[in-house]
Amino acid sequence: MRIVVIGAGLLGLTTAWFLRRHGGEVLVIDRAPGPGRETSFANGGMLHASQANPWNEPGVLRHALQMLGKEDAALLFRLRALPGMLGWGLRFLHHSHPSRYVRNFEKNAQLARYSLSLMHELRTAIGADYDHAARGTLKLFRDRAGVDAAARLCERLAAWDIPFEIVDGAGAVRLESALAPIAERLAGGLYFPADESGDAYRFCELLAAAAAAEGVRFAYGTTVKRLLRSADCMLGVSTADGAYHEADAFVLAAGSYSAPLARQLGLDVPVRPAKGYSITVPGAAWEGRPRMPVIDDFLHAAVCPLGDRLRVAGTAEFAGFDLALTPSRIANLFTLLKQLYPAIAPHLDPTHVEAWAGLRPMSADGVGIMGETSVRKCFLNTGHGPLGWTMAAGAGKLVADAIVGSGPALDLAAYRLARFR
Ligand SMILES: Cc1cc2nc3c(=O)[nH]c(=O)nc-3n(C[C@H](O)[C@H](O)[C@H](O)COP(=O)(O)OP(=O)(O)OC[C@H]3O[C@@H](n4cnc5c(N)ncnc54)[C@H](O)[C@@H]3O)c2cc1C
C-alpha cells in the first residue's frame, strides 16, 4: 500500500512511522528543510495527559471578553483575524456547553493516556536522547479556591486513570526545591505523576531518522500546492517542484495548514491557528535550577526543564497565520520565569535566549481530528491544538491502524471529521 503523508511535524512523523510498521510504502512531504521545523519545534515540552481539558471550558466567552484588548492577556484576539474565525468561533463556544465539554475532555484524556502508553515502545526504537524525563508535572495556584476548583475537575481525570495528588505550598517545594523562595505565595497545587517531558524537535529528528532507516522516504523542501479529487475520491498531490504523487491513501498532517489544504477537496476542517510563544534559556550555570515541569495557572504558562535548558511557553493569540514575535508576549514569558524562580536572575543572559512562536492547530471542539473523511483515500491527523506532543504517538498509531484496516485501540468515530455537522 502506498501512502503520502503531508507534514513532517509530530503528527505526520508518528503516522508515517506506524504506517511503515504495518508494511506501507510511505512518502512524507514537507516544505521545511527537515523534520519538526514548524509548530513541533519549540513547544512547551510536556506530555501532559493531565491537561486534557479543552480550552473551551464553560464560561470561556466571559473569560475571553474580559481579556479583549488587553495586550498582556493570556488569550488575545487580533481584530484582523476575526473575519476568518467567525464560524469556527461559534462552534468553539457551542462546545463550551458543560455536557459537550466533559465529553470532549474524556475523549482527550483517553487519547492522551493511550498515547503516553505508546511512548515507551517508540523509545525502544529511537532511544531517549530527546531530554526525556518522567518526573510528572506540578500545576501551581495562587489561591486556595483555584486549587479546590482544579481538584474537582481532576477527579474526572482520576476516574480515567490519570492520577493526581493535591499538595500545599510546602508540598510543592518538596517536589521542586527551586520554588522555595516563593513558597509563601503558593496556595498549593496539583501534582500529576504520570506526565512526561521532552524536546519535541529532537524527538522529531530521531523519529524521522529511524523511519528513514526503516524505508520511509522524505521529500523535504517540497511544498504541496494542489490536492486533486475526482468525484468522491482523492487522486493525488502536486508539489511546487512540478512533481505529482498518486497513492492508495493520503494523510493531511500539515498542522494549521491542513484546513486550507483540505478546502481544495471541498472539506471544511474546523481548525484555526492559535499562536503561542516560547523562550529557551540555558540553565547549566545555575546549580539550583528546577528539575520538574511547572505550570503556573495564574500566569497561564509553564516552565519545563529540557536537559540543562529551561523552556518557558504559553499564551495564546488568535492572529491568523502571522508568526511575528511580539516583544510584549516574549516579555510576559521572562516575567513568568523570574516570578517563579527569582534565583535565576543572576544567571539570565537575554542574549543567549531563543525566542520562538508557533501555531497550535486548534479544532473547534478542542479534540484532534483524525481518520477518514467523506473524500475516499483522504485521512486527517490534525487539530491537536495545545496537546499535539502529548497525543502524537497515540494519534499516529490510530490513524495508521485505520488506514490499513487494523482495528484501532480506540473507536475513531469519536474523533473523525464527520462529528462536525
Ligand atoms: C507555544 C506552544 C507550546 C506548546 N506546548 C505543548 C506542550 O507542552 N505539550 C503538548 O502536548 N503540545 C504542546 N503544543 C502543541 C504542539 O506543539 C502541537 O500541537 C504540535 O506540534 C502540532 O504538530 P503537527 O504535526 O500537527 O503540526 P506541525 O508541527 O506544524 O507540522 C506540520 C508540518 O506540515 C508542513 N506543511 C504545512 N503546509 C505544507 C504544505 N503546503 N506543503 C508541505 N508541507 C507543509 C509544515 O512545514 C510542518 O512541518 C504547544 C504549541 C505551542 C505553539
Side-chain angles (χ1 to χ4, degrees):
M1 186 178 201
R2 289 173 310 153
I3 309 111
V4 169
V5 177
I6 304 173
L10 282 163
L11 279 304
L13 289 170
T14 52
T15 312
W17 170 262
F18 287 111
L19 280 166
R20 185 68 196 130
R21 299 292 279 218
H22 281 304
E25 280 176 46
V26 187
L27 169 66
V28 180
I29 304 177
D30 200 296
R31 61 187 173 193
R37 304 293 172 96
E38 294 206 3
T39 316
S40 305
F41 186 68
N43 68 18
M46 291 170 294
L47 292 98
H48 43 21
S50 63
Q51 307 305 306
N53 43 313
W55 282 5
N56 32 353
E57 60 191 6
V60 68
L61 179 59
R62 186 173 27 88
H63 191 53
L65 289 175
Q66 282 165 355
M67 295 200 195
L68 217 55
K70 291 187 187 155
E71 195 54 38
D72 62 347
L75 193 64
L76 182 67
F77 291 89
R78 298 260 176 227
L79 274 179
R80 64 176 177 278
L82 289 183
M85 302 258 329
L86 210 57
W88 182 93
L90 290 174
R91 279 171 160 166
F92 186 78
L93 293 177
H94 173 75
H95 282 279
S96 67
H97 182 276
S99 65
R100 285 182 278 272
Y101 169 73
V102 170
R103 199 165 58 236
N104 293 331
F105 185 7
E106 180 170 8
K107 286 197 236 174
N108 277 347
Q110 284 179 349
L111 176 57
R113 202 163 52 91
Y114 175 58
S115 195
L116 278 161
S117 76
L118 291 172
M119 288 304 287
H120 178 70
E121 179 186 327
L122 284 179
R123 272 193 298 280
T124 313
I126 67 166
D129 189 18
Y130 58 96
D131 291 323
H132 167 251
R135 297 195 180 94
T137 303
L138 177 62
K139 187 165 188 175
L140 296 176
F141 297 84
R142 303 297 166 95
D143 58 64
R144 193 64 217 177
V147 182
D148 294 342
R152 276 195 299 278
L153 185 71
C154 289
E155 275 158 23
R156 293 185 191 281
L157 281 179
W160 301 324
D161 275 345
I162 298 171
F164 77 100
E165 292 163 26
I166 302 174
V167 294
D168 58 12
V173 174
R174 268 196 299 280
L175 286 166
E176 177 46 74
S177 57
L179 290 169
I182 63 158
E184 282 181 4
R185 268 181 275 152
L186 299 176
L190 300 182
Y191 172 54
F192 304 97
D195 287 350
E196 299 185 1
S197 56
D199 183 329
Y201 169 57
R202 182 77 189 121
F203 174 89
C204 286
E205 284 193 316
L206 292 171
L207 188 59
E214 295 284 333
V216 173
R217 289 183 302 126
F218 287 89
Y220 292 121
T222 305
T223 301
V224 170
K225 283 287 182 200
R226 301 270 307 142
L227 308 186
L228 287 104
R229 76 178 271 185
S230 165
D232 69 340
C233 186
M234 183 162 172
L235 294 177
V237 162
S238 69
T239 53
D241 56 3
Y244 178 68
H245 303 275
E246 291 182 337
D248 303 302
F250 302 86
V251 183
L252 272 56
S256 299
Y257 299 88
S258 305
L261 283 173
R263 211 170 296 133
Q264 295 185 22
L265 300 171
L267 293 173
D268 173 19
V269 177
V271 167
R272 295 292 178 276
K275 184 175 172 184
Y277 295 83
S278 75
I279 53 172
T280 307
V281 179
W286 180 23
E287 195 49 46
R289 68 179 178 275
R291 302 292 195 267
M292 161 88 66
V294 169
I295 302 171
D296 188 319
D297 181 71
F298 181 69
L299 296 168
H300 294 280
V303 180
C304 179
L306 294 171
D308 60 13
R309 300 165 298 154
L310 295 177
R311 171 77 45 79
V312 192
T315 73
E317 190 176 323
F318 288 95
F321 287 88
D322 170 40
L323 272 170
L325 292 173
T326 309
S328 60
R329 310 296 277 174
I330 300 293
N332 285 350
L333 297 180
F334 274 105
T335 304
L336 164 86
L337 182 60
K338 287 188 280 192
Q339 282 188 7
L340 264 186
Y341 301 115
I344 197 174
H347 309 282
L348 199 54
D349 173 1
T351 57
H352 285 95
V353 171
E354 288 164 40
W356 172 84
L359 303 175
R360 302 177 186 89
M362 294 288 295
S363 73
D365 62 359
V367 178
I369 306 177
M370 300 180 285
E372 67 191 57
T373 66
S374 57
V375 176
R376 269 193 308 122
K377 294 190 183 181
C378 176
F379 293 77
L380 292 169
N381 198 354
T382 185
H384 297 282
L387 291 164
W389 185 196
T390 310
M391 306 302 202
K397 173 92 167 71
L398 290 175
V399 172
D401 289 351
I403 290 172
V404 302
S406 146
L410 297 181
D411 181 5
L412 262 189
Y415 300 93
R416 281 192 202 116
L417 178 62
R419 70 180 188 265
F420 296 99
R421 300 258 177 229

